[in-house]
Amino acid sequence: MLSGDQDLPDGIGMARLAWTRLPTADGSAAASASTSAPQDELFVGAVESLDYEVIENYAYREEQAQRSKFWVPYYIMLKWFFALLIGVGTGLAAIFINLAVENFSGWKFTLTFKIIQHSYFLGFLVYILLNLALVFSSVYIITQFAPAAAGSGIPEIKGYLNGVDTHGILLFRTLVGKIFGSIGSVGGGLALGKEGPLVHTGACIASLLGQGGSAKYHLNSRWVQIFESDRDRRDLVTCGCAAGVAAAFRAPVGGVLFALEEVTSWWRSHLMWRVFFTSAVVAVVVRSAMNWCNSGKCGHFGAGGFIIWDISGGQEDYSYQELLPVAIIGVIGGLLGALFNQLTLYITKWRRTYLHKKGKRVQIFEACLISLITSTVSFVLPLLRKCSPCPELEANSGIQCPHPPGTDGNFVNFYCSKDNEYNDLATIFFNSQDDAIRNLFSAKTFHEYSAQSLITFLVMFYSLAVVTFGTAVPAGQFVPGIMIGSTYGRLVGMSVVKFYKKLNVDEGTYALLGAASFLGGSMRMTVSLCVIMVEITNNLQLLPLIMLVLLISKAVGDFFNEGLYEEQARLKGIPLLDSRPKQIMRNMSARDACKNQKVVCLPRVSRVVDIISVLRSNNHNGFPIVDRGQNGEQLVIGLILRSHLLVLLQSKVDFQNTPFPCGPGVLNRHNFSDFVKPPSSKGKSIDDIHLTDDELGLYLDLAPFLNPSPYIVPEDMSLAKVYNLFRQLGLRHIFVVPRPSRVVGMITRKDLLLEEDGDIATTELQSTVRAHLNGKTPGGNPHLQRPLLDSLMIE
């Protein structure tokens, strides 16, 4: 327990109290901690917490009082209008990406197929060069223009909605890099998908719309700059995430559930309605584009342009005898998914530690080398496989044998001596990923693939997916995961067909279950993934089996490690707060978490030079403000943010000559928008402040700009309860104070139902309010006053 003040060299007395933060709650707060764990060093300087809490200072209250009665309806209407714009924008971006990828892939396969009619070696060279050119364009865009666009972007967006701001993830150049980088990487045949980057794309579109565009590139408009708080932008980004999933999989309901289950740490019913509306808009936009492309105006864009693998014509029922092989698929998915997470974690860590530190040229060379390896494997391995004769197909099956490479259909003819033969390995290897998955999912295609070909593809593609993940290109893991899972699922299905000869079993059904199991074992999603799989396959009858394999695969995977996004977020230094506190926190108090660091307080009226000194000497983002009570004791009257202090120092209009509290005229000098942090920006820095010697000797009254009502917990509260409060309310700071000595009032449920029962329910609340209005708070200070001694703060 600390007591007493220590004088600064300039003579201003200031309490120096123990400072700490909730574990992994705010990276920047740990910069001065001498006892920080090594893993926390990764967080320092890389990220910053968002201000989801409303700062109810005088500027905010004055702005609220000046708003007319039409403001709330206008504000709500504008939120719905922006939800519409986000849906349209994300849908158009998805259409553009799919059109480009399908046409690039179609041109590539068409040209390669024409050349191999004369020379397979020349066709091999053309195929490699086309893929290399597309991948090079992608990695060049990322390394030179938009580094934040690398990867899937889902860990970063998940961190943003968890309260962590990683610089650069929502910039306009990140959006451009994500779109064009995805086209190059997916069109270049790498073992990755475009679905994860589409989630990031939707979030970028939402953020840019909310901030009115990009000021750097002069693509902004003042009339839409109404959503200025991090809380409002958080809602828009949530809509963008759901829109990205809805556009990627044509799964609007799955998009809503993905935002609810996977990326957000809080939820509100009003937000769910807007997210649902946004996903519905995306579905309409995508469907309209599909109908337009069906007329043949989209080039090589065909049935495989948007993911939907219709298996409704396959297996219609299942027997209890199939539950055992379904459970086996779930176990395999959990094991392979956990292994995938661990391998990608090790390789990505090695890549960041030794490889990417050598510069951008090494990153470009790495991506191009992986492109050469992937192209060689996908072209050469089918050449080593013998062709099989086309099976006898039903007249009304709609399946044609053979098909040329790069076209939508099964039974690809590749390096076959006869016209009525096909290469089963080329059907899934020398093809676009969407078409390959459609072939694996296809119903009534018994004995299309040999077990040897499926095992070869599984081993090679699994290895390529592990190595490719983490390169400097936009990369999603949904489609590669579906490819891997559907391969071993079809292998199990072939075994079931042979073992249960009397049952109506379809190999494509087990390919679907395998895809769901691997995604569940790797990403650890359940409800949203289940709905997405049902929506993209148009088969509701298999819902119980999908639920079963997801539950089993997730349970098996959780036994070994965390989900893919959580592992990658930790590797990138994004301090996510999990959905529940760790067990050890239940045996710790809030004071136990606040014992290693220093918290710096500022007096209500501070000298400018002292504020500058405090800001330069530490990286804290929040400072308790203290004032003298009537009895001479120091009391905490609120909290002021570092960003707000920088605004005041840069404007200089609030400087004063005397060390006394200012008058009410200060309220007219600032609007609430003056203190809003610029979106997609690091904001102001102390290095941007330039003051003369005379200005450094002036004073600044901080009372009008502080948050007079920060959240407070007693020092003996369980750290688990503090954790839940911190996460569920999206807080950035919590004051930890000694156990209060007296109670000034108590609020119950009926006190919060003022509109429903105003005469009875407000009796208890009115007595408390009246006591405050009469100045009966401790010390008589109109501000919310708290004891200073032994007060701590969690940031």
Side-chain angles (χ1 to χ4, degrees):
M1 182 177 296
L2 301 176
S3 61
D5 297 339
Q6 298 177 357
D7 292 335
L8 293 178
D10 51 32
I12 296 294
M14 192 174 299
R16 291 189 174 275
L17 306 171
W19 166 279
T20 190
R21 61 176 175 82
L22 200 61
T24 70
D26 190 356
S28 56
S32 61
S34 59
T35 58
S36 298
Q39 63 183 10
D40 292 339
E41 295 177 0
L42 189 61
F43 301 154
V44 177
V47 296
E48 183 178 332
S49 293
L50 293 164
D51 297 313
Y52 287 155
E53 181 185 358
V54 177
I55 307 300
E56 297 178 339
N57 54 22
Y58 287 131
Y60 171 81
R61 294 176 178 178
E62 183 182 25
E63 184 175 297
Q64 293 291 320
Q66 291 177 353
R67 289 175 176 173
S68 66
K69 61 180 180 180
F70 301 105
W71 168 257
V72 174
Y74 170 73
Y75 179 71
I76 296 176
M77 181 187 67
L78 206 57
K79 278 190 172 182
W80 284 94
F81 177 68
F82 271 67
L84 172 65
L85 293 181
I86 293 169
V88 173
T90 307
L92 293 177
I95 293 168
F96 176 75
I97 293 174
N98 279 275
L99 281 174
V101 169
E102 287 294 313
N103 278 284
F104 277 126
S105 299
W107 293 332
K108 176 181 64 179
F109 285 116
T110 300
L111 179 61
T112 304
F113 182 70
K114 288 181 179 180
I115 295 176
I116 63 177
Q117 302 300 318
H118 307 285
S119 172
Y120 272 87
F121 179 73
L122 185 59
F124 172 62
L125 291 180
V126 171
Y127 180 72
I128 283 182
L129 291 177
L130 290 175
N131 282 335
L132 186 61
L134 289 170
V135 173
F136 176 79
S137 66
S138 175
V139 68
Y140 186 83
I141 290 173
I142 299 304
T143 55
Q144 303 296 328
F145 181 69
S152 69
I154 293 181
E156 290 84 353
I157 299 303
K158 186 173 182 177
Y160 183 90
L161 296 178
N162 196 260
V164 180
D165 186 14
T166 305
H167 175 64
I169 63 171
L170 298 175
L171 296 175
F172 176 74
R173 67 170 180 266
T174 303
L175 172 63
V176 175
K178 209 74 177 183
I179 293 176
F180 290 96
S182 298
I183 294 173
S185 60
V186 179
L190 294 180
L192 43 82
K194 56 184 179 293
E195 289 67 34
L198 264 176
V199 176
H200 193 179
T201 299
C204 289
I205 292 174
S207 177
L208 289 170
L209 286 174
Q211 71 190 45
S214 175
K216 180 177 180 181
Y217 299 98
H218 306 289
L219 298 174
N220 59 334
S221 176
R222 290 290 303 175
W223 71 272
V224 295
Q225 295 180 6
I226 187 174
F227 302 108
E228 296 177 326
S229 67
D230 289 334
R231 182 187 293 262
D232 289 334
R233 293 172 190 156
R234 175 183 64 180
D235 292 353
L236 295 178
V237 171
T238 303
C239 293
C241 290
V245 175
F249 296 102
R250 291 171 61 190
V253 179
V256 176
L257 294 177
F258 176 83
L260 171 62
E261 177 184 7
E262 187 64 20
V263 295
T264 59
S265 56
W266 47 268
W267 200 253
R268 299 194 310 273
S269 59
H270 294 294
L271 179 61
M272 175 176 284
W273 278 107
R274 288 197 300 274
V275 171
F276 185 77
F277 173 70
T278 305
S279 300
V281 171
V282 172
V284 173
V285 172
V286 172
R287 172 56 65 181
S288 301
M290 288 292 295
N291 293 335
W292 184 68
C293 289
N294 287 336
S295 61
K297 299 179 181 179
C298 300
H300 288 272
F301 185 89
F306 283 96
I307 292 180
I308 185 164
W309 303 294
D310 192 343
I311 62 170
S312 56
Q315 184 174 341
E316 297 180 355
D317 199 2
Y318 52 88
S319 170
Y320 71 92
Q321 294 173 302
E322 297 181 64
L323 295 181
L324 178 60
V326 169
I328 294 175
I329 289 179
V331 174
I332 296 174
L335 294 175
L336 291 181
L339 178 63
F340 182 87
N341 293 356
Q342 204 64 35
L343 291 177
T344 53
L345 181 65
Y346 288 151
I347 293 178
T348 305
K349 186 181 298 184
W350 174 84
R351 181 182 279 127
R352 287 173 173 268
T353 304
Y354 300 103
L355 201 60
H356 287 181
K357 286 185 176 181
K358 297 181 179 180
K360 298 179 180 178
R361 291 185 178 180
V362 175
Q363 298 180 30
I364 295 175
F365 176 79
E366 178 200 18
C368 293
L369 179 61
I370 293 177
S371 174
L372 290 175
I373 296 174
T374 304
S375 301
T376 301
V377 169
S378 61
F379 193 99
V380 174
L381 283 183
L383 295 177
L384 304 177
R385 178 66 184 166
K386 293 182 179 180
C387 293
S388 304
C390 289
E392 296 182 1
L393 301 172
E394 299 179 4
N396 58 350
S397 63
I399 300 175
Q400 179 184 352
C401 180
H403 267 281
T407 60
D408 180 26
N410 302 71
F411 306 107
V412 172
N413 184 299
F414 184 79
Y415 200 61
C416 298
S417 58
K418 298 180 181 179
D419 293 337
N420 62 339
E421 292 182 338
Y422 74 98
N423 191 319
D424 61 344
L425 196 55
T427 302
I428 49 179
F429 240 137
F430 197 68
N431 218 332
S432 65
Q433 292 184 11
D434 289 355
D435 290 335
I437 294 173
R438 185 174 293 102
N439 295 338
L440 289 169
F441 279 5
S442 60
K444 301 178 181 179
T445 53
F446 296 101
H447 311 298
E448 178 182 358
Y449 304 99
S450 65
Q452 181 181 358
S453 296
L454 291 177
I455 293 175
T456 301
F457 176 80
L458 175 62
V459 173
M460 296 307 301
F461 192 83
Y462 189 95
S463 303
L464 289 173
V466 169
V467 175
T468 306
F469 189 83
T471 53
V473 294
Q477 283 306 114
F478 277 100
V479 169
I482 294 175
M483 289 275 287
I484 294 170
S486 59
T487 304
Y488 68 73
R490 185 128 190 160
L491 277 169
V492 176
M494 293 169 60
S495 302
V496 174
V497 170
K498 292 181 181 180
F499 189 78
Y500 298 111
K501 297 181 179 180
K502 297 182 180 181
L503 297 179
N504 182 21
V505 179
D506 198 294
E507 296 174 3
T509 299
Y510 285 83
L512 165 64
L513 297 177
S517 69
F518 185 82
L519 292 178
S522 176
M523 300 178 183
R524 313 294 159 81
M525 297 159 52
T526 53
V527 180
S528 58
L529 182 57
C530 182
V531 174
I532 289 174
M533 297 302 295
V534 170
E535 287 186 283
I536 64 179
T537 57
N538 195 23
N539 193 326
L540 189 61
Q541 295 176 342
L542 298 179
L543 178 61
L545 297 183
I546 296 176
M547 296 171 63
L548 177 62
V549 296
L550 284 175
L551 291 173
I552 295 176
S553 62
K554 184 181 186 305
V556 173
D558 285 339
F559 182 79
F560 296 97
N561 50 35
E562 291 185 302
L564 178 65
Y565 298 138
E566 288 76 13
E567 295 278 6
Q568 293 298 318
R570 181 176 293 105
L571 183 63
K572 294 180 179 181
I574 302 174
L576 293 179
L577 293 180
D578 296 331
S579 58
R580 59 176 181 267
K582 293 179 172 57
Q583 184 63 31
I584 191 175
M585 292 185 178
R586 304 189 183 279
N587 300 322
M588 299 175 61
S589 65
R591 183 174 178 81
D592 294 332
C594 305
K595 60 183 180 181
N596 295 327
Q597 298 178 349
K598 296 291 184 179
V599 62
V600 180
C601 298
L602 290 170
R604 171 179 174 173
V605 182
S606 301
R607 287 180 59 188
V608 174
V609 66
D610 298 331
I611 299 176
I612 294 291
S613 176
V614 168
L615 294 179
R616 289 189 181 278
S617 62
N618 62 78
N619 295 324
H620 302 333
N621 287 304
F623 301 92
I625 305 301
V626 299
D627 196 10
R628 295 285 180 180
Q630 290 183 352
N631 298 329
E633 60 176 337
Q634 284 190 321
L635 301 173
V636 179
I637 63 173
L639 170 75
I640 192 165
L641 298 177
R642 181 187 191 92
S643 58
H644 291 191
L645 288 174
L646 293 174
V647 171
L648 297 175
L649 292 174
Q650 191 174 56
S651 67
K652 305 179 184 179
V653 297
D654 301 295
F655 293 173
Q656 59 187 44
N657 295 319
T658 60
F660 301 106
C662 62
V666 71
L667 302 179
N668 300 323
R669 299 176 187 173
H670 292 280
N671 296 321
F672 183 72
S673 58
D674 296 339
F675 300 98
V676 174
K677 175 187 173 182
S680 303
S681 171
K682 292 183 178 179
K684 295 181 177 62
S685 170
I686 186 61
D687 297 328
D688 301 329
I689 307 300
H690 304 285
L691 301 174
T692 64
D693 292 339
D694 294 337
E695 290 170 336
L696 290 175
L698 299 178
Y699 294 87
L700 183 61
D701 185 3
L702 303 177
F705 314 105
L706 55 81
N707 180 9
S709 54
Y711 286 88
I712 297 176
V713 296
E715 59 181 344
D716 56 352
M717 175 181 283
S718 166
L719 188 58
K721 294 179 66 176
V722 177
Y723 185 99
N724 292 327
L725 178 69
F726 199 98
R727 184 181 187 275
Q728 293 174 9
L729 295 180
L731 302 181
R732 187 175 187 179
H733 306 92
I734 293 182
F735 280 177
V736 182
V737 299
R739 173 64 64 178
S741 59
R742 59 188 296 266
V743 178
V744 297
M746 185 169 62
I747 295 179
T748 63
R749 179 182 296 270
K750 65 179 182 179
D751 298 320
L752 304 177
L753 303 176
L754 301 181
E755 296 181 358
E756 297 183 12
D757 195 2
D759 295 334
I760 302 177
T762 58
T763 304
E764 186 175 353
L765 185 61
Q766 286 176 348
S767 61
T768 305
V769 173
R770 190 176 298 112
H772 280 280
L773 293 177
N774 293 334
K776 295 182 181 179
T777 55
N781 196 313
H783 299 290
L784 183 59
Q785 301 176 346
R786 304 168 185 88
L788 173 64
L789 297 182
D790 307 322
S791 65
L792 304 159
M793 186 165 66
I794 289 178
E795 178 181 8

